[in-house]
Amino acid sequence: MNTTVRNILAFVIGAVVGSVVNITLVGLGMAVVPTPEGFDPTTMESYAATAHLLESVNYIPPLIAHAVGCFVGALVAFLIAGSHKHILALAIGAFTLVGGVWAANIIPAPTWFIVTDLVLAYLPMALLAVWVGRAVTKTPTV
């Protein structure tokens, strides 16, 4: 397969797999850490109107979901890529960071969560995926 096509597929598949992992873990998180009575996440308007009911513990599952989703997506991109593996993995991190910034601007959340999420859940997880990917594939550092 052409290296360029393989790299494009690596990015697309990494982004899709990472997104699916993220969405799945957010859903599971709501089952593990139930939201307070009266909280309504069905629309952005109802979410914004009832977000004040959320407690700190309710923000832990999304933080984990964002970090794990980014890590898995970046690792998948690294493993599939035909070349520039570390760049593609970091591109997944940047892509998910842009999504996190976008979400932080439209979804009400406490400042501690937004800062922690943006600083720890995206680029550091992509870097970790590069490190794990290099270890698994015995790829030399660049």
Side-chain angles (χ1 to χ4, degrees):
M1 179 183 298
N2 179 312
T3 302
T4 302
V5 172
R6 187 169 174 153
N7 288 348
I8 291 168
L9 284 174
F11 181 84
V12 170
I13 293 169
V16 169
V17 169
S19 296
V20 169
V21 168
N22 178 19
I23 291 166
T24 301
L25 291 177
V26 167
L28 287 173
M30 290 178 110
V32 172
V33 181
T35 55
E37 187 70 33
F39 175 71
D40 182 8
T42 55
T43 67
M44 285 307 299
E45 294 78 21
S46 62
Y47 186 104
T50 58
H52 68 280
L53 298 172
L54 294 173
E55 300 173 14
S56 295
V57 69
N58 296 113
Y59 291 97
I60 302 304
L63 180 62
I64 293 169
H66 298 166
V68 173
C70 179
F71 172 80
V72 170
L75 183 59
V76 165
F78 184 95
L79 295 173
I80 293 173
S83 65
H84 308 293
K85 293 174 172 289
H86 66 288
I87 292 172
L88 285 162
L90 294 175
I92 294 293
F95 176 73
T96 56
L97 175 61
V98 168
V101 169
W102 173 76
N105 283 302
I106 64 164
I107 300 171
T111 303
W112 72 264
F113 171 77
I114 293 170
V115 170
T116 304
D117 190 54
L118 296 180
V119 171
L120 298 179
Y122 303 108
L123 295 180
M125 292 297 107
L127 285 168
L128 181 61
V130 168
W131 183 77
V132 169
R134 284 181 176 156
V136 167
T137 63
K138 309 282 192 261
T139 302
T141 55
V142 179

